[in-house]
């Protein structure tokens, strides 16, 4: 064939390809939330506004909805593309989830008109059948490119569970595509999802699911999308900030990562008396040295919404990425956390606060969406109010929960109380009559404690629905002193590296230890003692001890692998739950690994089935309720601390 004809045909072909993607720069705006944890109502917050400590409420889903609608109106007026996405962990966190489980989340999130959501680890807290009901019940795609659900009877074949979704934009108008075969001449954005690769260490209810390596699955998915000539790729992830940054550096071709899991409120909030965190919208160079990836995340508990704008060059590379997180505040401010009417700001004081907030770039006064507020109040809130039950005590000052002690050595004020409650409860005559044992000490994983305790009344529901919402059975297991020390070393060293999952950090009662960091992220136990006969004694490596903890941690979850190893062949562990109102012990024979990587508990006689009729497993919450009611009706922190962490 004549070379000029070939050249002409090639030019026409290239012109045709070019016509499919406009040559002018393309700018995409993404509104995003993550780790909302069923905080459908606003959460209490302390702010410092103009050197004045004030108390208000932040966020909640009606306020998120109102702000999202405002961003949509702005984008529509400017004829600009907009996506609204969720970075995972919509589940757990409040009594709403305890009462309604995934059904309320599906209802409320669908009303918010999300474009996509990543699967978080807490979406696996129930079982795959109820997760499937949630995924099938929402009207937006749920994404996880590194999840293989093909062998799971509940999640395989779910149309709404996808590795990625495609959106084509004509200005503000967008259309969801089934494939690039349906694309026209307008820009197409692919949104992919990524879930934690080590989910088996976190969740025990994974069925036949397989979780692939995050980096490998991401690169494979990006490569497939590039082969389809998709130029713009957004990843919504539930990996944590450090892994998002690693992903940005090691994977070629992701333009924007919208993250979750580490609850990172990126940006400088020191103007409000909060922390100065890592910058919002950091840009990282890909492994190939050419591509750029922007990384964002938006805090926790539906308090804030992020808004990032990414501008692309005509060939699809990121040329600019900027934006920020905005805390969404109620209009009412109080001088005292008790929020009595006499504490409320009014007149000129209220006007000054409003003017101060108006001048800040990272907080806004936002009214709740009235329709969503009314729907929650009518359909869900009455049952929540009934479920909170009786007052069991009072908290005179805030007890703050932090997972990992900071550089100042200050750790959680709540987790030691939880540990103390478990030790107390295990040694009450009623429990000892069932177990025939006396517990020596208690260990608590920081991630099992879900929130701080605010001043005021403490009701049963504050414990069972918020503080300890996972309905874990209490366990008593025999361990040697050597195994206890190994567990502490494993758990502490696992939490120290930058960006590590700190939920595994161990707090204690009846046991105290000092850990000294010797190099970045590593260290040794310089002291470990237990309380016996009223005095502290050195832990004997050869001696056996009765240790009380939740069944979740006792099975080696959350990185407490020493416990799995100790019980792999044989164990004398007892799990404790109520059956028809009667406390019952369930002896455990051994542990094994299921095919999906989770831990399987083998009981000697009748298995403990927490979902069975008449079975109530939340003895962890019951222990705390009994402890406060019987021993600490005025709940203050325990001193001195049993955990000492010396950081470099």
């Amino acid at each position: 064939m004549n070379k000029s004809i070939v050249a002409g045909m090639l030019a026409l072909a290239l012109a045709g390809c070019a016509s499919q993607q406009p040559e002018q720069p393309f700018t995409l705006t993404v509104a995003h939330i993550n780790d909302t944890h069923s905080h459908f109502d606003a959460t209490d917050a302390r702010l410092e506004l103009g050197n004045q400590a004030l108390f208000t409420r932040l966020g909640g889903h009606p306020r998120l909805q109102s702000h999202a609608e405002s961003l949509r109106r702005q984008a529509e007026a400017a004829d600009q593309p907009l996506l609204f996405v969720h970075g995972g962990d919509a589940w757990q966190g409040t009594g709403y989830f305890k009462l309604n489980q995934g059904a309320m989340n599906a209802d409320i999130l669908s009303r918010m008109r999300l474009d996509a959501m990543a699967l978080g680890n807490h979406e696996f807290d129930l079982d795959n059948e109820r997760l499937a009901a949630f995924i099938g019940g929402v009207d937006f795609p749920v994404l996880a490119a590194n999840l293989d659900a093909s062998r799971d009877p509940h999640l395989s074949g779910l149309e709404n569970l996808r590795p990625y979704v495609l959106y084509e934009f004509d200005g503000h108008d967008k259309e969801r595509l089934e494939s690039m075969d349906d694309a026209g001449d307008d820009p197409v954005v692919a949104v992919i999802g990524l879930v934690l690769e080590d989910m088996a260490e976190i969740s025990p209810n994974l069925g036949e699911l397989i979780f692939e390596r995050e980096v490998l699955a991401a690169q494979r998915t990006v490569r497939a999308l590039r082969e389809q000539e998709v130029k713009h790729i957004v990843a919504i992830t539930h990996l944590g900030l450090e892994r998002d940054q690693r992903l940005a550096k090691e994977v070629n071709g992701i333009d924007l990562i919208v993250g979750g899991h580490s609850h990172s409120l990126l940006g400088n909030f020191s103007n409000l008396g909060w922390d100065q965190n890592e910058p919002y919208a950091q840009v990282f160079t890909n492994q190939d040295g050419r591509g750029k990836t922007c990384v964002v995340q938006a805090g926790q508990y539906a308090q804030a919404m992020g808004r990032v704008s990414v501008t692309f060059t005509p060939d699809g590379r990121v040329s600019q990425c900027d934006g920020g997180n905005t805390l969404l505040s109620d209009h009412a401010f109080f001088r005292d956390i008790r929020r009595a009417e006499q504490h409320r700001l009014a007149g000129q004081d209220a006007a000054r606060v409003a003017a101060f907030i108006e001048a800040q770039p990272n907080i806004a006064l936002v009214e709740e969406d009235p329709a969503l507020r009314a729907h929650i109040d009518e359909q869900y809130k009455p049952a929540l109010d009934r479920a909170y039950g009786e007052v069991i005590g009072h908290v005179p000052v805030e007890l703050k929960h932090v997972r990992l002690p900071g550089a100042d050595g200050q750790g959680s004020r709540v987790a030691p109380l939880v540990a103390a409650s478990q030790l107390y409860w295990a040694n009450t005559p009623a429990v000892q009559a069932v177990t025939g044992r006396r517990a020596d000490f208690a260990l608590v994983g920081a991630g099992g404690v879900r929130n701080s305790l605010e001043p005021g009344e403490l009701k049963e529901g504050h414990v069972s629905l918020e503080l300890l919402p996972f309905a874990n059975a209490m366990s008593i297991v025999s361990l040697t002193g050597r195994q206890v020390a190994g567990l502490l070393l494993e758990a502490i060293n696992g939490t120290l590296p930058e960006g590590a999952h700190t939920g595994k950090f161990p707090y204690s009662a009846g046991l105290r230890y000092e850990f000294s960091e010797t190099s970045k992220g590593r260290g040794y136990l310089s002291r470990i003692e237990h309380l016996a006969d009223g005095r502290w004694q050195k832990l004997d490596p050869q001696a056996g001890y009765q240790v009380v903890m939740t069944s979740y941690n006792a099975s080696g979850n959350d990185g407490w692998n020493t416990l799995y190893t100790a019980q792999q062949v044989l164990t004398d562990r007892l799990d404790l739950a109520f059956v028809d109102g009667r406390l019952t012990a369930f002896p455990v024979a051994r542990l094994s690994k299921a095919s999906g990587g989770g831990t399987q508990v083998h009981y000697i006689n009748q298995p403990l089935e927490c979902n069975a009729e008449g079975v109530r497993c939340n003895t962890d919450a019951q222990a705390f309720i009994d402890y406060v009611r019987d021993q600490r009706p005025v709940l203050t922190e325990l001193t001195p601390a049993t955990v000492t962490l010396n950081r470099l």
Side-chain angles (χ1 to χ4, degrees), residues 260-322:
H261 188 55
S262 54
H263 297 211
S264 303
L265 183 66
L266 298 181
N268 183 2
F269 287 82
S270 59
N271 59 319
L272 306 175
W274 287 23
D275 292 336
Q276 178 173 340
N277 303 310
E278 288 199 47
Y280 184 90
Q282 288 190 77
V283 177
F284 298 87
T285 301
N286 298 164
Q287 192 175 55
D288 62 10
R290 296 181 299 159
K292 304 287 185 182
T293 303
C294 185
V295 177
V296 298
Q297 195 177 141
Q300 63 181 0
Y301 303 155
Q303 295 176 337
M305 185 176 294
R307 178 184 180 275
V308 60
S309 291
V310 185
T311 299
F312 300 88
T313 60
D315 63 350
R317 296 186 184 278
V318 174
S319 63
Q320 186 174 348
C321 182
D322 51 38

Side-chain angles (χ1 to χ4, degrees), residues 198-220:
D198 50 352
M199 188 69 72
E201 296 183 11
I202 299 173
S203 177
N205 306 312
L206 299 177
E208 299 301 317
L209 301 176
I210 297 173
F211 296 85
E212 301 176 78
R213 294 290 184 183
E214 299 147 4
V215 170
L216 294 177
Q219 191 65 77
R220 182 189 68 239

Side-chain angles (χ1 to χ4, degrees), residues 344-415:
R344 182 170 183 155
L345 298 189
Q348 290 185 349
D349 291 336
R352 277 193 291 269
V353 168
F356 178 86
I357 288 177
E358 180 67 26
Q360 308 308 308
N362 51 6
I363 187 171
L365 299 175
V366 179
E367 295 283 359
E368 293 186 314
D369 178 79
L372 190 56
R373 179 74 268 165
H375 178 67
I376 293 172
D377 288 347
E378 292 168 8
Q379 296 296 319
Y380 300 106
K381 205 163 193 309
L384 183 78
D385 291 340
R386 290 192 299 270
Y388 272 74
E390 297 180 357
V391 175
I392 59 173
H394 289 79
V395 181
V397 297
E398 181 189 18
L399 297 173
K400 191 170 181 60
H401 175 56
V402 296
R403 293 185 172 189
L404 183 67
D408 58 359
Q410 297 299 316
S412 174
R413 303 297 197 257
V414 183

Side-chain angles (χ1 to χ4, degrees), residues 3 71 140 231 300 306 308 472 480 540-541 549 611:
K3 289 184 178 180
L71 295 181
F140 50 84
K231 285 188 176 182
Q300 63 181 0
V308 60
N472 283 312
T480 66
D540 184 349
M549 64 188 74
N611 295 324

Side-chain angles (χ1 to χ4, degrees), residues 416-608:
L417 287 165
V418 174
S421 75
Q422 295 176 357
L423 183 59
Y424 161 78
W425 184 82
N427 288 330
T428 58
V431 176
Q432 283 190 297
V434 174
T435 65
R437 304 183 191 179
R438 180 169 184 81
D440 294 300
F441 44 84
L443 294 173
V444 167
V449 180
R450 299 308 296 173
N451 57 269
S452 302
L453 293 175
E454 299 293 338
E457 292 181 339
L458 185 67
K459 295 183 177 181
E460 292 177 340
H462 288 125
V463 179
S464 60
L465 302 178
E466 295 181 4
L467 181 68
L468 302 168
F470 298 130
N472 283 312
M474 293 307 306
S475 297
I476 300 179
V477 60
S478 295
L479 297 172
T480 66
R482 189 178 304 279
Q483 288 170 328
V484 172
L487 169 62
L488 294 176
L489 281 170
E490 170 188 54
I492 299 166
N493 281 321
T495 63
L496 294 182
E498 189 71 26
H501 173 51
T502 54
K504 64 185 73 173
F505 187 83
Y507 286 92
S508 60
L511 179 86
R512 68 182 184 186
Y513 68 83
E514 183 172 356
F515 182 94
S516 298
E517 194 176 23
T518 54
S519 60
K520 196 66 175 176
R522 305 295 294 178
Y524 69 101
L525 286 167
S526 52
R527 181 184 63 180
I528 178 169
E529 299 172 321
H530 70 104
L531 188 64
D533 301 323
R535 62 187 181 89
W536 290 102
Q537 303 177 24
K538 185 178 179 180
L539 198 72
D540 184 349
Q542 307 303 323
Y545 299 93
Q546 295 295 312
V547 188
V548 60
M549 64 188 74
T550 66
S551 57
Y552 175 79
N553 286 125
S555 294
N557 292 306
D558 235 357
W560 288 23
N561 300 305
T562 297
L563 285 161
Y564 172 78
T565 303
Q567 301 172 81
Q568 193 172 1
V569 176
L570 184 68
T571 181
D572 67 351
R573 171 176 145 194
L574 297 176
D575 290 353
L576 299 168
F578 290 100
V579 180
D580 295 326
R582 183 178 180 178
L583 185 64
T584 304
F586 292 80
V588 177
R590 64 183 179 88
L591 305 180
S592 67
K593 288 294 184 183
S595 58
T599 301
Q600 186 172 352
V601 181
H602 299 271
Y603 290 93
I604 293 176
N605 300 311
Q606 179 184 1
L608 176 54

Side-chain angles (χ1 to χ4, degrees), residues 33-34 85-90 114-121 123-124 134 140-145 161-162 191-195 235-239 258-260:
I33 53 179
N34 57 272
V85 301
H86 193 305
D89 268 10
L114 290 166
D115 293 306
M117 173 181 165
L119 273 177
N121 54 290
E123 272 73 66
F124 295 91
F134 167 79
F140 50 84
V142 178
L143 308 178
L161 177 60
R162 297 168 174 249
V191 184
I192 70 175
L194 291 168
V195 65
I236 50 174
T237 72
H238 197 81
L239 311 179
V258 181

